[in-house]
């Protein structure tokens, strides 16, 4: 009888130890909160790669510097990105095509899907209308998905038939940001030191001639 009672007590002690050992693990393995499962509320319709990024060999091989970012482009974001200031009187709506294809007074942009519905998304061609861009600093921005790519040009040699690409998503909008440059905003250029000396000397000669003519 004593042996049987001892076995019962020993079994109870072992059972208590096992419960205390495995209970924390069991509690830690609670199911996830159903309200937080799946994608976030801001995920939109695209996947994680649905964002415009900088691409190589665009714009018919012209020289450019590109930076990309998440979110949407605007004047302050582009100015901060390149450390430049847009021209006075810049109105975003005037320099923007708010679609995958369209035109404004400064450029026209088309999607490859306009001609071929089976073509890749986020690919097309464009043409600049403004000849002054050949001597201006400007950024051309492509926005698609949850991000944009800004291409900075220091002048441009070709205006027509320039290829563009977002790197994946369809184009949401394209915007031209023109920066202040001496050739585009009417600033007066400062003469070279040698030119200044020549102007001073010429002025002295003219003053001397006037003084002589007065004496005579």
């Amino acid at each position: 009888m004593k042996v049987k009672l001892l076995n019962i007590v020993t079994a109870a002690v072992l059972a208590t130890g096992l419960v205390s050992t495995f209970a924390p693990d069991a509690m830690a393995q609670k199911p996830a909160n159903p309200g937080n499962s799946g994608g976030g509320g801001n995920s939109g319709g695209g996947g994680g790669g649905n964002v415009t990024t900088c691409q190589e060999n665009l714009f018919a091989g012209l020289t450019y510097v590109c930076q990309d970012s998440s979110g949407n482009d605007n004047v302050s974001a582009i100015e901060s990105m390149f450390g430049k200031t847009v021209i006075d009187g810049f109105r975003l709506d005037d320099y923007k095509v708010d679609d995958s294809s369209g035109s404004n007074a400064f450029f026209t942009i088309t999607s490859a899907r306009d001609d071929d519905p089976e073509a890749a998304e986020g690919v097309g061609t464009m043409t600049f209308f403004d000849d002054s861009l050949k001597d201006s600093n400007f950024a051309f921005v492509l926005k698609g998905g949850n991000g944009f790519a800004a291409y900075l040009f220091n002048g441009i040699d070709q205006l027509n038939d320039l290829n563009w690409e977002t790197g994946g998503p369809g184009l949401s909008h394209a915007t031209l940001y023109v920066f202040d440059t001496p050739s585009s905003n009417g600033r007066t250029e400062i003469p070279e030191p040698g030119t200044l000396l020549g102007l001073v000397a010429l002025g002295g000669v003219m003053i001397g001639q006037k003084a002589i003519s007065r004496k005579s």
Side-chain angles (χ1 to χ4, degrees):
M1 183 70 179
K2 290 184 179 180
V3 173
K4 186 175 181 180
L5 180 60
L6 180 61
N7 289 338
I8 293 174
V9 172
T10 302
V13 171
L14 290 174
T16 303
L18 289 173
V19 170
S20 63
T21 300
F22 290 106
D25 290 339
M27 294 177 65
Q29 295 176 3
K30 289 182 178 180
N33 186 343
N36 295 328
S37 62
N42 297 325
S43 60
N50 189 33
V51 59
T52 299
T53 55
C54 291
Q55 303 296 307
E56 297 180 352
N57 302 318
L58 299 187
F59 305 102
L62 295 172
T63 301
Y64 56 78
V65 175
C66 182
Q67 294 193 42
D68 49 35
S69 177
S70 60
N72 203 2
D73 60 293
N74 53 55
V75 172
S76 61
I78 300 303
E79 288 183 335
S80 175
M81 183 175 281
F82 294 115
K84 297 181 180 293
T85 304
V86 298
I87 56 175
D88 294 336
F90 178 88
R91 293 182 69 254
L92 188 62
D93 291 342
D94 294 339
Y95 292 80
K96 181 179 182 180
V97 170
D98 203 10
D99 205 341
S100 60
S101 296
S103 301
N104 57 30
F106 303 96
F107 67 90
T108 182
I109 189 166
T110 59
S111 170
R113 287 196 171 184
D114 291 348
D115 298 324
D116 181 6
E118 301 299 323
E121 194 172 25
V123 177
T125 58
M126 62 157 304
T127 293
F128 289 113
F129 297 142
D130 191 352
D131 287 343
S132 68
L133 294 177
K134 292 180 178 180
D135 301 312
S136 299
N137 293 318
F138 65 92
F140 190 72
V141 175
L142 301 172
K143 168 67 168 63
N146 189 32
F148 65 90
Y151 296 86
L152 176 67
F153 294 87
N154 183 15
I156 192 171
D157 296 327
Q158 180 179 337
L159 300 175
N160 302 318
D161 299 324
L162 306 175
N163 62 307
W164 61 267
E165 184 177 343
T166 63
L171 183 66
S172 169
H173 66 252
T175 311
L176 173 67
Y177 294 85
V178 183
F179 300 119
D180 285 335
T181 60
S183 61
S184 64
N185 66 5
R187 291 179 183 174
T188 302
E189 295 186 4
I190 300 174
E192 296 292 331
T195 304
L196 287 174
L197 291 176
L199 292 174
V200 172
L202 179 60
V205 170
M206 294 178 64
I207 293 174
Q209 288 179 344
K210 287 184 178 180
I212 293 173
S213 61
R214 287 178 182 174
K215 288 183 180 180
S216 61

